Amino acid sequence: MCEKKIQVSVMLPIGLNEKLKTLAVASARTKSAYIRQILRRYLQYLQCQDPDERAAFDWQI
């Protein structure tokens, strides 16, 4: 079942946008999909209560 989505607009500096495009292409994702994955991963990181768990958090996207 698809989760409902809403549209969000974000202004990015040109350099950050270029890096994002490069990473998205390298991972065969759209920029939107790459940003969603980054946000999911960051929110998971924020939920880590144990400092050791945070230190060992897997940032591989």
Side-chain angles (χ1 to χ4, degrees):
M1 182 174 188
C2 279
E3 186 176 3
K4 279 191 165 189
K5 297 178 182 172
I6 62 166
Q7 184 174 344
V8 177
S9 179
V10 178
M11 299 291 292
L12 298 174
I14 292 172
L16 182 57
N17 183 59
E18 293 301 318
K19 289 178 185 178
L20 183 60
K21 279 197 298 190
T22 301
L23 291 169
V25 167
S27 64
R29 293 183 173 102
T30 63
K31 285 193 315 182
S32 294
Y34 203 82
I35 291 169
R36 278 192 302 273
Q37 185 62 28
I38 291 167
L39 289 171
R40 273 189 213 103
R41 198 60 59 95
Y42 185 66
L43 292 173
Q44 289 171 350
Y45 169 79
L46 290 177
Q47 291 176 343
C48 294
Q49 299 297 317
D50 181 14
D52 291 334
E53 186 180 353
R54 273 191 172 201
F57 192 81
D58 179 15
W59 285 103
Q60 187 64 36
I61 295 180

